[in-house]
Amino acid sequence: RPVTLKTTIERVKYFLKRNDIYNKNIVFLGDDDLTSIALALTKVKCQITVLDIDERLINFINNLKKELVFWVPFSFYIFKYV
């Protein structure tokens, strides 16, 4: 199913409703990494890590991090092919 703004918001709402992300280390891998941005904009107490092989996406998130205020620790890493 394609990821849209609506599905991203619904995912974050689902995370919040379940109460299982508070004070946790959350890892987003691949296609869900833009959901990490939506979660980072909330005031939920957690730590977010994004892992992806697409350097362009990581750069996009890094640029957003410079422009927006993320309320949680947010880090990201690029996987390189070996």
Side-chain angles (χ1 to χ4, degrees):
R1 151 175 159 184
V3 177
T4 64
L5 177 59
K6 181 180 178 182
T7 60
T8 299
I9 291 169
E10 290 301 317
R11 286 178 184 174
V12 172
K13 284 170 48 179
Y14 178 75
F15 295 155
L16 297 173
K17 182 179 178 181
R18 288 187 43 112
N19 289 321
D20 57 1
I21 60 170
Y22 296 93
N23 298 310
K24 304 286 183 176
N25 296 320
I26 313 297
V27 176
F28 289 91
L29 177 63
D31 292 341
D32 291 327
D33 38 24
L34 291 179
T35 302
S36 65
I37 295 169
L39 182 59
L41 292 171
T42 69
K43 294 185 180 182
V44 173
K45 233 180 164 179
C46 66
Q47 181 172 338
I48 297 173
T49 301
V50 175
L51 306 170
D52 204 301
I53 61 171
D54 188 345
E55 191 169 351
R56 296 169 301 164
L57 189 56
I58 296 298
N59 289 336
F60 175 74
I61 293 171
N62 188 35
N63 289 334
L64 276 180
K65 185 178 177 185
K66 293 174 187 174
E67 295 176 25
L68 303 173
V69 175
F70 290 155
W71 295 97
V72 297
F74 195 99
S75 55
F76 37 88
Y77 303 94
I78 302 168
F79 280 141
K80 297 284 185 181
Y81 289 110
V82 180

